[in-house]
Amino acid sequence: MRIAHGEVGSVVFTEEVWDQFNAVKASLSGYEQRDIFSMDETGLFFKPKPNRKLANASVAGEKKDKTRVTVASTANMDGGFKFPPLIILKSLMPRAFGRRSIKTLENLGIH
């Protein structure tokens, strides 16, 4: 038994997609591999509890803790240079807005 995950199965490679891929590839051909960087991000749930327990009787479940951070990784194309992971935290009320009359980010024009 295997668990299907990811979104690769939903990608449709049309002629337009290949044309765009080849256009990006051509635009990067003038650069050295060490000068081309890529960054990707992923969510890290760092407070999960085990969802399986050893027990002789039924055990009540608990709500899952969804506390997470975003981790961004950046490296160049030849792998010679890798930035340290960038950790992006989330706050309902950022400390920078704490002493002002700003109650929500919408008041700043940010959605």
Side-chain angles (χ1 to χ4, degrees):
M1 178 183 294
R2 302 219 184 250
I3 298 173
H5 55 85
E7 299 174 357
V8 172
S10 63
V11 176
V12 178
F13 292 102
T14 62
E15 193 66 33
E16 182 182 350
V17 171
W18 284 113
D19 290 342
Q20 290 177 0
F21 175 77
N22 289 328
V24 170
K25 194 173 175 182
S27 68
L28 295 176
S29 65
Y31 296 95
E32 297 286 330
Q33 287 188 349
R34 68 174 184 255
D35 297 329
I36 300 172
F37 285 80
S38 177
M39 181 180 126
D40 200 7
E41 63 185 44
T42 185
L44 173 65
F45 294 92
F46 63 95
K47 290 186 177 179
K49 293 182 181 178
N51 59 356
R52 299 173 192 219
K53 300 177 181 182
L54 293 175
N56 292 332
S58 177
V59 178
E62 296 175 354
K63 188 174 181 179
K64 293 182 180 180
D65 189 351
K66 296 180 182 172
T67 306
R68 77 178 190 129
V69 295
T70 301
V71 181
S73 300
T74 307
N76 64 350
M77 192 169 172
D78 69 359
F81 185 80
K82 299 172 188 171
F83 282 100
L86 174 67
I87 308 297
I88 303 168
L89 303 174
K90 182 177 178 180
S91 174
L92 292 175
M93 181 53 65
R95 189 178 290 188
F97 302 143
R99 294 188 180 155
R100 299 191 177 122
S101 62
I102 301 168
K103 299 295 182 193
T104 63
L105 293 179
E106 286 81 16
N107 292 345
L108 292 173
I110 300 171
H111 302 283

